[in-house]
Amino acid sequence: MIETKWSFGRLMVLGAAWTVLAFLVMPMIIVFPVSVTDQYYLSLPKEHISWEHYAKFFSDEKWLDATFQSVVIATSSTILAVLLGTLCAIGCWRIASAWSERVRTFMLLPIIVPTIVQALALYRFWIDLGIVDTYIGVILAHTLVAIPYVVITVSASLANFDVRLEQASRNLGASIGQTVRWVIVPSIMPGVLSGGLFAFTISFDEIVMVLFITSRNIYTLPKRIWNGIQDHLDPTIASVATLLIAVTLALLIMDLWLRRKRETK
Amino acid sequence: MGGSSQQFRYWMLILPAVALMLIFYVFPLIQVLWISVTEPVPGLGNYEELFTSDFLHKIWWTTARICLLTTALTVVLGYVVAFAMAHVERQQMTMMMFCILLTFWLSVLVRAFAWVMLLRTQGTINEFLQFIGLIDRPLRLARNEIGVVIGMVHFMLPLAILPIYANIRTIDAKYVSAARGLGGSAIQAFLWVYLPLSRPGIIAACMLVFVFSLGFFITPAILGGGKVVMISEYIRVAFEETLLWGKATMLSSSLLFGVFLLLAIVGRFVDLRRVFGSS
């Protein structure tokens, strides 16, 4: 601490910090009251609280279908990204040479390249492959952008994993495949799951690539929201937003729990 | 143990991910660079526009201005939060961290949508300010640069707070005590000792925020309402309206070069892999 007694300065700093934090959470707090408005346009409830916009979401084929598509796409790309990303992280960790370090840096590429650039690039290539506006096309695109996050989280938990356990397993005659499956992965499971949560969130929220590589068939939830914001600001979006905030909150709590587990290991 | 066949098998674990990236990610990016110098005619013709078009200059200038403003605001505000986090007891710090992580994880679209609700002419902020009688007419907060900057700062704050916090948490309090013991005031100790020690965190935060701002698409597109056109949105508009691959890929390539140039420059001062959290 800068000084034990800096009461005035301390209050100033704390006040400023909490003001910034209030600015951070303000959008989340405002969404819920608007979602229970009794009006047909975006506003705070005027006379009473109404759940009609939630009812609209749960009865509207379009919203439900979009949610379904998003869940399918996010689940598939999460599975792929976790599988490929975990294997890659384990390989890099075990080899630990200058080259494997380069590979790990290379895997970060999708985080660094501006989304609009990768959207344009994939769109062009997806045309050639004939997978524009298909599940495969979107799942592949989302897998690519989610892999780096899996590599990062899994690498972080491998840093705490005792390499001698792996050597012991190999010395006892286990193959690399068996070692990965029965020794390494179980002990870094919290990291793998955490990477999976990250990958799921990335895919579930992704909009820029979807705008490029889909047209009529694929309509994910973010795309519905995007179009809803562009056309008319319907309070249904506020209820969808509230639901997404609730889901995020649940995922975050789950992740923090996983992290704690990872640390106590 | 081991030998080269061991090594080889571990490389086989890496191979699928790398192959997928090379074929479906790197190749398309190279294709973009390639198209930018071959369509409609081979040569650097597309790039000429970068230097001759006033309209493009205006867009790059808008982009640079918004990115610089966003970076400056985000890093200053982020520093305050990170500083407070490093100096409060554990419980309060956990609460602060929770607010930050929740924002960080929340859908970009949801956040942009919430800001539209808050900032528009009949939005919550204007209604509130009118209700308490602070203003007569609604302020223009959305569909202009103010709105874009507010939305972008909001998006970028966690990206600034986390690296700064990671850095200043490691600053040894003894240095500050020493400065105080030698007769410096609290402010002097902060300015001459603490702040210089937190430079790596500040540089990392500036770079992260600036690079992400440069190619940012969603928030400017929604909060700018078509009035504030940054380079990313212009690429989309130019492409969707004209389908000119040559121009769209030229702009994308320039953006890409810009980002990598920045990374190359900043990479000389800070360990980039640590910034991106991979080591």
Side-chain angles (χ1 to χ4, degrees):
Chain A
M1 210 166 282
I2 258 200
E3 196 179 319
T4 35
K5 279 192 183 170
W6 46 301
S7 49
F8 179 69
R10 189 189 170 92
L11 273 179
M12 290 282 287
V13 171
L14 271 184
W18 278 107
T19 311
V20 176
L21 291 168
F23 166 75
L24 272 185
V25 293
M26 183 163 64
M28 273 173 257
I29 291 166
I30 194 65
V31 170
F32 176 69
V34 174
S35 74
V36 291
T37 184
D38 49 355
Q39 307 292 315
Y40 288 102
Y41 54 93
L42 278 183
S43 70
L44 294 171
K46 293 269 153 67
E47 272 147 35
H48 56 92
I49 282 176
S50 146
W51 299 93
E52 60 182 309
H53 302 294
Y54 288 88
K56 221 191 275 169
F57 171 78
F58 284 108
S59 59
D60 188 336
E61 194 89 5
K62 280 186 193 159
W63 281 109
L64 291 180
D65 189 45
T67 313
F68 174 75
Q69 290 201 0
S70 275
V71 171
V72 170
I73 288 166
T75 310
S76 321
S77 39
T78 301
I79 293 170
L80 282 172
V82 166
L83 198 67
L84 295 167
T86 305
L87 289 182
C88 177
I90 292 175
C92 288
W93 165 76
R94 196 59 193 86
I95 293 168
S97 67
W99 271 104
S100 71
E101 277 305 301
R102 270 175 219 142
V103 167
R104 208 145 66 178
T105 312
F106 166 73
M107 297 309 286
L108 299 181
L109 204 55
I111 300 184
I112 298 162
V113 173
T115 43
I116 192 83
V117 177
Q118 62 194 19
L120 192 74
L122 295 194
Y123 175 55
R124 174 74 179 213
F125 193 46
W126 273 209
I127 295 176
D128 298 340
L129 296 176
I131 52 173
V132 170
D133 206 21
T134 62
Y135 274 105
I136 295 197
V138 181
I139 291 168
L140 186 56
H142 284 182
T143 304
L144 290 165
V145 294
I147 287 179
Y149 297 94
V150 178
V151 173
I152 290 174
T153 40
V154 173
S155 297
S157 46
L158 278 168
N160 303 323
F161 177 68
D162 191 345
V163 88
R164 281 172 304 183
L165 281 175
E166 189 262 2
Q167 284 163 350
S169 154
R170 299 281 290 130
N171 288 341
L172 290 169
S175 71
I176 287 186
Q178 287 169 323
T179 308
V180 168
R181 207 170 325 145
W182 304 118
V183 180
I184 302 180
V185 170
S187 27
I188 56 164
M189 208 45 174
V192 174
L193 291 177
S194 188
L197 280 181
F198 228 130
F200 190 89
T201 319
I202 299 280
S203 166
F204 201 73
D205 187 32
E206 205 288 323
I207 172 74
V208 185
M209 288 195 297
V210 164
L211 287 179
F212 272 81
I213 62 174
T214 69
S215 58
R216 290 217 180 77
N217 286 324
I218 303 293
Y219 239 101
T220 62
L221 194 56
K223 195 171 162 186
R224 276 263 166 255
I225 299 175
W226 171 269
N227 286 347
I229 296 175
Q230 306 286 348
D231 312 339
H232 51 291
L233 289 160
D234 165 1
T236 315
I237 305 173
S239 62
V240 178
T242 310
L243 293 172
L244 285 177
I245 292 172
V247 172
T248 310
L249 199 62
L251 288 179
L252 173 63
I253 291 170
M254 207 147 91
D255 183 62
L256 290 177
W257 180 72
L258 284 172
R259 233 173 255 236
R260 185 163 301 166
K261 253 189 122 174
R262 196 161 67 190
E263 274 159 17
T264 52
K265 275 237 160 160
Chain B
M1 29 186 289
S4 57
S5 84
Q6 277 281 348
Q7 285 272 325
F8 175 75
R9 287 195 205 152
Y10 281 106
W11 277 109
M12 294 313 285
L13 296 179
I14 300 178
L15 186 70
V18 172
L20 194 80
M21 283 281 287
L22 284 174
I23 299 168
F24 295 104
Y25 194 86
V26 176
F27 177 72
L29 284 179
I30 293 170
Q31 213 179 11
V32 162
L33 300 177
W34 178 246
I35 295 169
S36 76
V37 291
T38 52
E39 270 183 37
V41 283
L44 291 172
N46 289 321
Y47 287 86
E48 230 178 82
E49 214 184 325
L50 273 182
F51 302 98
T52 55
S53 158
D54 286 339
F55 189 66
L56 267 185
H57 288 167
K58 213 185 102 193
I59 286 172
W60 279 111
W61 171 231
T62 310
T63 310
R65 193 173 56 226
I66 292 180
C67 289
L68 284 172
L69 190 59
T70 302
T71 308
L73 282 170
T74 309
V75 172
V76 170
L77 296 177
Y79 194 94
V80 174
V81 177
F83 183 84
M85 278 169 71
H87 292 96
V88 293
E89 60 279 20
R90 195 174 167 76
Q91 204 178 3
Q92 197 175 163
M93 137 60 198
T94 313
M95 269 159 63
M96 289 174 155
M97 194 54 127
F98 193 80
C99 293
I100 294 159
L101 288 178
L102 185 58
T103 322
F104 183 64
W105 277 68
L106 186 62
S107 156
V108 192
L109 265 179
V110 168
R111 285 193 257 169
F113 166 72
W115 279 113
V116 170
M117 289 196 316
L118 284 163
L119 298 175
R120 74 211 156 103
T121 322
Q122 318 91 321
T124 322
I125 289 179
N126 271 318
E127 281 186 348
F128 176 72
L129 290 178
Q130 279 171 307
F131 177 74
I132 62 170
L134 212 62
I135 52 171
D136 307 325
R137 276 181 303 148
L139 302 171
R140 295 204 40 220
L141 298 170
R143 297 172 75 80
N144 58 20
E145 283 185 24
I146 301 174
V148 173
V149 171
I150 291 177
M152 281 178 66
V153 169
H154 185 259
F155 179 82
M156 301 293 167
L157 263 171
L159 293 175
I161 296 171
L162 297 173
I164 297 176
Y165 175 66
N167 169 242
I168 63 181
R169 205 173 47 159
T170 62
I171 294 178
D172 194 334
K174 284 194 208 100
Y175 291 117
V176 180
S177 319
R180 297 283 285 136
L182 291 169
S185 71
I187 291 174
Q188 280 173 324
F190 175 76
L191 285 180
W192 300 112
V193 178
Y194 200 86
L195 202 57
L197 284 171
S198 51
R199 209 174 61 176
I202 296 175
I203 295 177
C206 284
M207 195 217 46
L208 263 187
V209 174
F210 193 81
V211 166
F212 281 125
S213 304
L214 210 53
F216 207 37
F217 175 76
I218 301 163
T219 307
I222 291 177
L223 284 161
K227 297 267 166 52
V228 185
V229 180
M230 284 170 63
I231 187 70
S232 278
E233 201 188 356
Y234 182 65
I235 292 175
R236 189 175 86 105
V237 172
F239 176 72
E240 286 195 342
E241 284 173 6
T242 60
L243 289 172
L244 287 175
W245 278 99
K247 186 172 177 182
T249 51
M250 177 276 284
L251 290 170
S252 299
S253 310
S254 318
L255 185 57
L256 202 56
F257 280 131
V259 167
F260 278 103
L261 191 69
L262 266 173
L263 290 178
I265 294 169
V266 183
R268 302 179 75 97
F269 302 103
V270 285
D271 181 5
L272 289 179
R273 270 183 324 191
R274 180 159 293 163
V275 173
F276 288 104
S278 83
S279 72

